[in-house]
Amino acid sequence: MKKRLLLSLASACVVSVALVFAITDLENIYLNIYNFAVFMFLYLSGTVGLTAIVYLFFLVRKKKRTKEEMKESVYKSSLIMVLFLIAMGIYFYDSSVPREYEGDEYVYQYEQPKDLHDGLVTDDIGNTNFSPDTLKNIVKKIVEERNYKGITSFLLLHKNKLIVEEYFYDVKHNTPHDIRSATKSITALLTGIAVDKGFIKSEDEKISKFFPEYFNEKDSVSLKSQITVKDLLDMNSCLDCNDWDRNSPGQENKIYRTRDWVETVLKLGELKRDSTARYCTGGVIVLGEIIAKTSGMKTDEFAKKYLFEPLGINNLNWQYMPSGQTDTGGHLNITSRDFVKLGALILNNGIWNNEQIISVDWLKKIKQNNIVIRGYRYYLFIIPD
């Protein structure tokens, strides 16, 4: 019996390792170890739980079980849990492929992106100095190796012309993607527009002005009352908010469990003010609500009027807080082509179709800002020239 139990345990270890390879992210070693531990915990806790159920069943029926019978119950429970892990792997395994192809090698054929009359000008890669062989190798690598399931589209803009547009895993040009925290970058652009149009007088304005209900007028010298719009943009406020610290009261997952995220963030405690930037989704959420308060529009409506409509962006979906406010910290869904437009807007100094959407001054402030968190300035990643 002991050998059978050890064999079952070894099987669970093997299956758990297989699950790590089959249904989790292999690029993060710490996450892989964590997932392996989770699978083994499920196996062990399930084995104990099933054995306990069997024991209680016979206890209620007032039937005694011998040690050998209990060991047999443990063994059978462990086998059931091994089968459960296998079933879980089959259920969660992603069998999708980047592209269907016949034979051992994928043959790539380049096609110029289509002109969809959406504001993007397209061109043939042959009219540029970009190597067609490089493009071929990139696409073949994604399709053949199948280790890049996070890449569902690859678009390349060259001198304001779209020269490459490739999609994978049944994604199409009109498929919106969850851009996660890249939503923060759009919030930075919206803040610049709000400043340009005078809704927000300056990024140096204190946020207590917009949320007086959360600030004590008698305590106007506290660190918290000195927080400015720029502090939120810099992720350098004194709020006890750090998404990379699970113990932080303002860690994003803790905020998401509350009804009013803005209120939760503004009621956070203070940390000592220093030059340390802390990745804080909560601050971006508050910034989005400042845009709403100053403009008299919901943030998504503000974005539509002053940013998305001028760029011809209409196929998108915002996420909302339980309170109904716009989630400006993450999870906006937008198409790849429209996302390219936003990049082109920044590269062209805020101009789109000869219209100044965002001021040059605001984009300069982003590039010249001296507070950087992993290359992040005002929620945008800036690559040095």
Side-chain angles (χ1 to χ4, degrees), residues 122-256:
T122 68
D123 197 5
D124 190 283
I125 195 172
N127 297 328
T128 72
N129 57 3
F130 191 84
S131 169
D133 289 336
T134 299
L135 172 62
K136 176 181 177 181
N137 291 334
I138 290 173
V139 176
K140 280 175 64 65
K141 193 175 185 67
I142 295 172
V143 173
E144 292 181 347
E145 296 189 11
R146 302 184 185 181
N147 293 326
Y148 305 95
K149 292 191 175 183
I151 300 177
T152 57
S153 61
F154 172 52
L155 284 74
L156 182 61
L157 197 72
H158 178 75
K159 294 183 178 179
N160 287 319
K161 294 181 179 180
L162 186 65
I163 61 171
V164 176
E165 184 176 22
E166 302 290 343
Y167 296 99
F168 312 95
Y169 298 103
D170 294 325
V171 169
K172 297 178 175 59
H173 72 272
N174 58 353
T175 303
H177 306 270
D178 182 352
I179 62 173
R180 309 285 298 180
S181 283
T183 306
K184 294 180 174 66
S185 302
I186 293 174
T187 302
L189 300 181
L190 295 177
T191 304
I193 293 172
V195 172
D196 293 340
K197 296 189 175 301
F199 294 119
I200 299 175
K201 304 304 180 186
S202 163
E203 65 267 37
D204 294 321
E205 281 197 285
K206 296 176 181 178
I207 67 171
S208 58
K209 171 184 175 181
F210 310 112
F211 305 98
E213 63 271 29
Y214 298 111
F215 294 87
N216 189 338
E217 293 182 4
K218 296 180 181 179
D219 191 22
S220 59
V221 295
S222 69
L223 289 175
K224 195 170 177 179
S225 65
Q226 303 303 310
I227 297 174
T228 65
V229 169
K230 187 177 188 303
D231 292 332
L232 297 182
L233 288 164
D234 287 334
M235 292 191 175
N236 185 232
S237 73
C238 63
L239 291 172
D240 194 355
C241 176
N242 187 349
D243 291 351
W244 296 338
D245 180 1
R246 292 183 180 179
N247 297 318
S248 171
Q251 202 269 348
E252 61 179 327
N253 290 325
K254 296 178 182 178
I255 294 173
Y256 294 154

Side-chain angles (χ1 to χ4, degrees), residues 183-184 211 214 224 239 241 249-268 280-289 318-332:
T183 306
K184 294 180 174 66
F211 305 98
Y214 298 111
K224 195 170 177 179
L239 291 172
C241 176
Q251 202 269 348
E252 61 179 327
N253 290 325
K254 296 178 182 178
I255 294 173
Y256 294 154
R257 291 195 290 267
T258 66
R259 172 170 173 73
D260 192 329
W261 299 355
V262 174
E263 179 180 63
T264 301
V265 175
L266 293 175
K267 286 187 174 181
L268 290 172
C280 174
T281 296
V284 192
I285 290 168
V286 170
L287 190 56
E289 188 58 16
W318 284 98
Q319 297 295 312
Y320 299 93
M321 309 178 209
S323 57
Q325 298 150 298
T326 310
D327 178 5
T328 53
H331 311 109
L332 172 66

